[in-house]
Amino acid sequence: MKFGTVAVVGATGAVGRIIRELLESREFQADRFRFLATKRSAGSAIPFRGQDVTVEEVSPEAFEGCDLVIASTPDEAARDLLPHALKAGAVVIDESGYWRMNEEVALVVPEINPEAARTAAAEGRLIASPNCSTTQMVQCLKPLHDAAGLKRVTVSTYQAVSGAGLAGTAELIESTKASLENGSFVASTFQQPIGFNLIPQIGSFKEQGGEGDGYTSEEMKMVRETRKILGLPDLRVNPTCVRVPVADCHSETIACEFERPLSADEAREALAAFPGLAVVDDPVAGKYPTPRDCAGDDRIFVGRIRKDLSCENGITFWCVSDNLRKGAATNAVQIAELLAQD
């Protein structure tokens, strides 16, 4: 599939900046690149491939002539704008959470379900990139499911402030400084001051009754998106999502129960062989993934792989990934590369 004009929506945001960087460093082929953003950023110039590209204001009319649109916007903007991009004939890859669970939308991690992206593009349907915490987990779950058959997953996340955008990173710095200086601080991006703190809430408690009662919107994204990507509608997933005072990289403790026995060595081999995963697992020597080591890397890192003491066919492991890269920008660009190769 040849893309003549590629547009990046939200090009000046935290994820949009990395999308631009990846399109340049990975030498994505297109005749023209357009960068779209809100009126506040429109008119500014962005260096790209040796020349300055002027940021254009995003609007329903801005998509005319675009062959590929990669969008990283708030949910409301994705809801209002992206149907116009589809109507204009563009292939659309969306980073927002708005369209992911729509039955007509393909929810894609290229290493897991590439055919879903190909089919959606051919049929003029939108392609969604999953939530960052979901993406790193499902890429680990896929080879383990293939090896032993998943029955149940319990996950606790330790999510970086950059998951809340540039405002989240700024609030970590300000809140930490206030704590060090014994000053007062009123949180605005998070529910509580994040400096030297943990907040067991990401998203809102919207659901009352039913499956999501007592769970946050972020937690239910992990449940429903995991089932959709893996094609396992009845998979039991029990998440707890926690915001931590770390700048970049989400970390997760993942405990899996399987249909069949799976040793730690077998799990380690399956994970190491799967595309995009890197196993760092020598805890006695102090070797395991940490956010500081994994920031800026497109891979998903796995360590502390061990038998689960609470069930017969269980494996527990630790997982770290840069949430702005594979959890967002890199996954979207990989979908575009997949389609461009066909």
Side-chain angles (χ1 to χ4, degrees), residues 64-340:
E64 291 299 326
C66 292
D67 301 298
L68 171 66
V69 172
I70 305 176
S72 177
T73 70
D75 287 2
E76 295 79 9
R79 176 197 64 200
D80 296 339
L81 290 169
L82 297 189
H84 295 282
L86 289 172
K87 187 176 180 180
V91 172
V92 180
I93 301 170
D94 178 31
E95 289 280 5
S96 84
Y98 185 80
W99 296 102
R100 291 174 186 152
M101 295 311 299
N102 186 299
E103 291 183 0
E104 296 299 313
V105 170
L107 186 60
V108 175
V109 176
E111 295 89 345
I112 299 175
N113 57 343
E115 286 305 319
R118 294 188 176 105
T119 300
E123 296 178 353
R125 294 186 288 109
L126 191 144
I127 303 166
S129 186
N131 187 43
C132 46
S133 52
T134 302
T135 300
Q136 68 186 80
M137 180 173 76
V138 294
Q139 196 155 331
C140 297
L141 295 182
K142 173 61 175 172
L144 300 178
H145 172 64
D146 290 346
L150 272 172
K151 287 180 60 178
R152 179 176 59 90
V153 180
T154 298
V155 55
S156 294
T157 73
Y158 313 87
Q159 295 182 221
V161 296
S162 58
L166 298 175
T169 301
E171 190 155 309
L172 171 63
I173 296 170
E174 294 163 5
S175 177
T176 302
K177 183 179 179 181
S179 295
L180 290 171
E181 296 175 351
N182 295 318
S184 61
F185 182 83
V186 178
S188 58
T189 301
F190 305 116
Q191 296 83 5
Q192 302 285 340
I194 188 63
F196 299 102
N197 200 13
L198 302 177
I199 305 172
Q201 177 185 353
I202 303 177
S204 60
F205 293 96
K206 292 181 179 178
E207 298 189 30
Q208 302 295 324
E211 184 182 41
D213 192 10
Y215 288 82
T216 67
S217 55
E218 180 83 358
E219 290 161 352
M220 293 313 298
K221 287 176 187 177
M222 295 193 73
V223 174
R224 292 165 179 152
E225 292 177 17
T226 296
R227 291 169 175 167
K228 183 172 180 177
I229 295 165
L230 295 178
L232 299 172
D234 298 321
L235 180 65
R236 290 177 289 168
V237 182
N238 184 45
T240 302
C241 293
V242 182
R243 188 74 70 187
V244 299
V246 170
D248 295 303
C249 292
H250 291 351
S251 304
E252 298 176 354
T253 299
I254 304 171
C256 306
E257 182 181 4
F258 301 98
E259 300 283 354
R260 301 177 293 279
L262 184 69
S263 70
D265 286 341
E266 290 170 331
R268 195 174 289 110
E269 290 176 7
L271 291 163
F274 198 74
L277 299 184
V279 173
V280 181
D281 192 24
D282 188 359
V284 176
K287 295 181 179 179
Y288 34 71
T290 67
R292 183 183 292 271
D293 296 330
C294 301
D297 202 302
D298 290 320
R299 295 172 293 174
I300 296 168
F301 294 83
V302 187
R304 296 294 315 278
I305 303 165
R306 59 201 188 274
K307 289 290 291 182
D308 188 330
L309 299 179
S310 68
C311 62
E312 183 177 358
N313 296 337
I315 291 290
T316 297
F317 58 93
W318 171 252
C319 170
V320 181
S321 179
D322 190 320
N323 52 295
L324 297 182
R325 299 190 76 90
K326 182 55 180 175
T330 303
N331 196 68
V333 172
Q334 286 177 323
I335 295 171
E337 290 173 334
L338 169 73
L339 300 175

